[in-house]
Amino acid sequence: MSEKFYITTAIDYPNGEPHIGHAFEKIGADCIARYRRLRGQRVHFVMGMDENSQNVVDLAAKANLSPQEWIDLLADRFRAAWKKLSISYDDFIRTTEERHRRAVIELLRRIEKRGYIYRGTYRGYYCTGCEAFKLEKDLAEGRCPLHPTLEIRWVEEPNYFFKLSAFAEPLLEIYRNDPNYVRPESKLNEIRNVVEGGLQDQSISRARLSWGIPWPGDDQQRVYVWFDALINYLSATGFPEPGFEELWPADLHIIGPDILRFHAAIWPAMLMAAELPVPKGIWSHGWVNFSGRRFSKTAGVKVELNQAIERHGPDAFRYFLLREVPWDGSGDFTWERFDARYEADLANGYGNLTSRVVAMTARYCAATVPDTTEPTALDNFALEVIQNYRKAMDEHLLHQGAQEVWRLVDRANAFVEESAPWNLAKSGSTGELRRALSALARAVARITLMASPFMPNKTKEAWLALGLPDDPGRANWEMILKPPVGGKSVTRGSPLFPKANAQRVTA
């Protein structure tokens, strides 16, 4: 495992409020970033806003704002949502920043110098929702499948083009040499089929626009929003200034399934054209659906993000999404499942276990965790779980990682009943009592550390209740293998997951 880990998410359009789809991607990326920090890597986590869209001008006009006022307003709202969800990004890049403009101009210069940019005329379909050009084969009944309520426009205009067609074989070679380059495997197969089917040169500028990065040397053209947006991952490293190589290439781009072609074909081709290293990996997560239907404002299928967060709190929301929706596929959000997970996994599971262990330690051991290290069956089970957890998390299978943690929660709760510390205290079996409570404290500490990437705030409360200093987010991997709980003073506090929070609302 390398020391550096540079992880990014897709940058978001300022065309509306942040929603559950945005949150799913950011929470998952944050979970990976926090896990990698726990493993001892130097993580650099970048998110941001994609602000050079023509939609910005239209939406700002409708709101009686200038484009800059509109994007500032939306950027603040997105940042507020990510703060509420404890997203631990290191950099929030906006494509209207000067550092990004410099990177775009320099990358264009390098690609053009090598002969991969030429002037021509674009004739074809354009989806204003995607801000993307579409081939006829990409349409369903003459409309974009992602924006079926919008009219597809036919566009004819002079543009600059990128010679994407020159990179089909180099891209296929990347896929052949690294079968993990695009994951999950189904998405690698999908992009391979696209490239094998032939690549067309891409229009990378737009004429007659008032918003966006001006094309260098041609004030009649603006850099096409998708071409400019991809470069954010590079501009966030400081490119082209010296030292950007300390972060580049990115270790992992996390994206949604609708932008796979841009990230797994066009972006690496752009980098190869500029003689820069391609990213090391791309992860395409699936969709979050609501009761089996795609979220859609126009179809009335929606859940307000704040409503979902406030139902049981941000940590419970984070846990539910990553446990319920496979990180390598799609899954459902329902209020019923959210309530069930909260009660079973959190209130009755992890929360109840932590409360019982702390309370029994306070009652039977003068609030001090016994300093015994003799392994028990619970410790042996925990070491097996840790191994499985690490494998799942290394492979970015977050839902499987969470499943492993809660296997240990269930086993530890069963161990409480099997060892029955209250009976050991009554019978005067001091040695057995101390071994049982020490093993349970170690189990809670291990669960807390493994759960911390999913729930950074509630796990901090549990960590402090065990008498451990600082924050599990700043712990190290060795503490999972050998939890430093012996001799620590526990503190009884409020329940981690109060059952009173298990509201019953319909939506």
Side-chain angles (χ1 to χ4, degrees):
M1 188 172 283
S2 64
E3 180 186 350
K4 180 269 296 182
F5 191 79
Y6 177 24
I7 179 174
T8 72
T9 67
I11 52 176
D12 298 312
Y13 276 134
N15 63 350
E17 300 289 335
H19 54 65
I20 285 181
H22 293 127
F24 177 58
E25 178 172 290
K26 275 55 181 182
I27 293 168
D30 184 63
C31 184
I32 292 172
R34 289 176 181 275
Y35 167 72
R36 294 289 174 155
R37 293 186 189 110
L38 184 60
R39 292 297 308 276
Q41 290 185 282
R42 178 173 53 86
V43 172
H44 192 71
F45 177 18
V46 172
M47 296 165 35
M49 300 293 290
D50 182 2
E51 300 177 329
N52 290 321
S53 158
Q54 178 59 28
N55 279 344
V56 164
V57 179
D58 301 336
L59 291 166
K62 289 180 182 178
N64 293 317
L65 297 172
S66 71
Q68 190 64 50
E69 288 171 330
W70 173 259
I71 61 176
D72 288 347
L73 175 68
L74 268 293
D76 286 345
R77 290 179 181 175
F78 273 77
R79 279 191 285 226
W82 308 148
K83 182 178 180 180
K84 184 177 289 189
L85 286 167
S86 301
I87 308 299
S88 61
Y89 58 84
D90 298 290
D91 191 0
F92 191 88
I93 188 164
R94 299 174 60 183
T95 58
T96 48
E97 294 179 54
E98 176 59 23
R99 59 171 172 161
H100 179 68
R101 190 196 68 81
R102 286 197 306 269
V104 170
I105 298 305
E106 176 60 19
L107 196 72
L108 276 173
R109 186 191 69 77
R110 295 188 185 194
I111 295 173
E112 190 169 27
K113 183 179 179 182
R114 298 193 67 225
Y116 290 111
I117 292 176
Y118 63 92
R119 191 176 175 90
T121 300
Y122 177 79
R123 298 179 179 87
Y125 296 105
Y126 186 80
C127 172
T128 55
C130 294
E131 294 262 1
F133 297 111
K134 300 288 182 177
L135 300 176
E136 191 164 358
K137 67 180 182 179
D138 298 328
L139 305 179
E141 299 181 353
R143 293 181 181 250
C144 171
L146 297 176
H147 300 94
T149 63
L150 300 178
E151 293 284 346
I152 282 287
R153 291 169 47 197
W154 179 264
V155 176
E156 290 191 29
E157 64 179 36
N159 283 170
Y160 289 93
F161 284 76
F162 170 55
K163 290 184 180 179
L164 180 63
S165 58
F167 292 92
E169 184 51 39
L171 286 167
L172 291 172
E173 186 176 356
I174 290 173
Y175 308 152
R176 284 193 295 267
N177 291 342
D178 184 0
N180 291 322
Y181 185 71
V182 178
R183 296 180 66 194
E185 186 179 359
S186 61
K187 293 302 178 184
L188 176 63
N189 294 335
E190 179 182 326
I191 194 62
R192 183 191 289 116
N193 290 339
V194 168
V195 175
E196 287 176 343
L199 295 175
Q200 294 187 349
D201 293 350
Q202 298 291 300
S203 168
I204 57 171
S205 73
R206 296 292 312 282
R208 300 182 298 278
L209 295 185
S210 60
W211 185 256
I213 297 176
W215 190 273
D218 187 344
D219 58 8
Q220 299 302 307
Q221 298 276 332
R222 301 271 171 169
V223 179
Y224 172 44
V225 61
W226 260 109
F227 191 88
D228 130 45
L230 289 164
I231 301 169
N232 90 88
Y233 308 123
L234 189 59
S235 54
T237 68
F239 175 85
E241 301 302 320
F244 79 93
E245 302 92 343
E246 293 179 15
L247 287 172
W248 195 258
D251 293 271
L252 188 65
H253 289 323
I254 294 176
I255 60 166
D258 54 329
I259 54 177
L260 178 66
R261 183 173 64 92
F262 292 100
H263 286 80
I266 298 175
W267 176 227
M270 289 164 57
L271 291 163
M272 287 189 282
E275 296 187 299
L276 289 169
V278 300
K280 294 181 180 179
I282 298 161
W283 186 276
S284 176
H285 60 77
W287 302 109
V288 181
N289 300 317
F290 180 67
S291 299
R293 296 183 294 167
R294 281 281 303 278
F295 282 106
S296 168
K297 290 181 183 177
T298 54
V301 182
K302 64 178 183 177
V303 172
E304 295 296 334
L305 179 58
N306 280 335
Q307 181 187 11
I309 294 171
E310 290 168 6
R311 188 177 183 88
H312 298 303
D315 270 28
F317 176 67
R318 285 174 60 111
Y319 169 75
F320 172 71
L321 275 187
L322 296 183
R323 177 70 189 270
E324 194 73 12
V325 182
W327 191 238
D328 58 349
S330 298
D332 251 10
F333 177 99
T334 70
W335 295 115
E336 295 79 10
R337 289 293 296 166
F338 192 6
D339 290 338
R341 283 280 183 207
Y342 180 85
E343 291 186 25
D345 294 11
L346 301 179
N348 295 335
Y350 175 46
N352 185 52
L353 172 68
T354 303
S355 178
R356 294 179 80 186
V357 170
V358 169
M360 289 187 295
T361 303
R363 182 172 183 178
Y364 303 129
C365 296
T368 302
V369 178
D371 193 10
T372 65
T373 57
E374 182 180 344
T376 65
L378 181 58
D379 290 292
N380 295 335
F381 185 86
L383 293 176
E384 175 193 319
V385 164
I386 291 167
Q387 184 176 2
N388 294 340
Y389 168 84
R390 185 176 64 184
K391 183 176 186 298
M393 298 297 283
D394 283 350
E395 295 176 358
H396 315 312
L397 298 174
L398 308 182
H399 57 296
Q400 291 184 11
Q403 288 169 14
E404 287 299 322
V405 179
W406 261 258
R407 282 182 62 217
L408 184 53
V409 170
D410 292 342
R411 183 68 192 91
N413 272 316
F415 186 82
V416 172
E417 302 303 322
E418 293 165 7
S419 60
W422 48 91
N423 289 334
L424 295 175
K426 284 181 183 178
S427 66
S429 303
T430 305
E432 290 183 52
L433 174 65
R434 289 172 58 81
R435 281 192 294 275
L437 290 179
S438 180
L440 284 166
R442 287 193 294 273
V444 172
R446 285 164 165 152
I447 290 164
T448 297
L449 284 173
M450 289 189 287
S452 63
F454 298 86
M455 300 187 296
N457 300 301
K458 291 296 184 178
T459 52
K460 183 176 181 179
E461 292 180 32
W463 194 249
L464 294 173
L466 289 173
L468 293 162
D470 203 14
D471 182 335
R474 287 191 281 270
N476 58 62
W477 187 253
E478 186 64 23
M479 290 182 181
I480 291 181
L481 301 175
K482 297 178 180 179
V485 293
K488 296 296 189 295
S489 298
V490 302
T491 305
R492 301 179 71 172
S494 302
L496 290 178
F497 302 98
K499 291 189 179 182
N501 280 358
Q503 309 165 40
R504 286 287 184 261
V505 300
T506 57

